[in-house]
Amino acid sequence: MATEVVQDVSMSRFELLVDGVQAGISDYVQDDEKIVFLHTEIDPAFRGQGLGDEIARGALNLVRAESSRRVVARCPFIKKWISEHADYQDLLTR
């Protein structure tokens, strides 16, 4: 199973692709200083495979690599995920 997280700027979301098929999304809004994660979900057909971790890690890695924006986690899943992964907590205060 090959996974990839891509950003669809026109839809303001990150997409998790599993073998080329969209398996999850993470919606956001952003400005010059911050990116606010609003909602994350995995398609029911793909749940129970740890793919929530994949989309969270992939989306946050893209934010880190492509901008200096601070992350605001309004999405409960992303908020919890960051709290459990100390190496991503710096994104909250950049």
Side-chain angles (χ1 to χ4, degrees):
M1 169 173 68
T3 63
E4 177 183 20
V5 175
V6 296
Q7 185 175 14
D8 183 341
V9 176
S10 68
M11 297 291 289
S12 297
R13 69 183 183 193
F14 293 95
E15 299 177 350
L16 172 66
L17 306 176
V18 175
D19 296 328
V21 176
Q22 183 180 301
I25 59 158
S26 189
D27 295 317
Y28 65 83
V29 294
Q30 68 181 356
D31 61 26
D32 290 338
E33 297 176 9
K34 65 186 175 298
I35 182 167
V36 181
F37 283 85
L38 303 171
H39 175 75
T40 302
E41 71 179 85
I42 299 297
D43 184 295
F46 291 91
R47 289 187 184 153
Q49 301 177 47
L51 295 175
D53 281 342
E54 293 287 329
I55 195 167
R57 181 176 290 106
L60 294 169
N61 284 343
L62 286 171
V63 170
R64 178 174 277 147
E66 297 177 5
S67 78
S68 61
R69 288 183 179 91
R70 180 174 62 90
V71 169
V72 177
R74 289 207 181 127
C75 167
F77 179 80
I78 296 292
K79 185 174 186 173
K80 183 175 188 291
W81 196 91
I82 291 173
S83 75
E84 294 173 349
H85 294 83
D87 50 329
Y88 287 87
Q89 292 173 9
D90 66 298
L91 293 172
L92 301 173
T93 58
R94 294 167 102 179

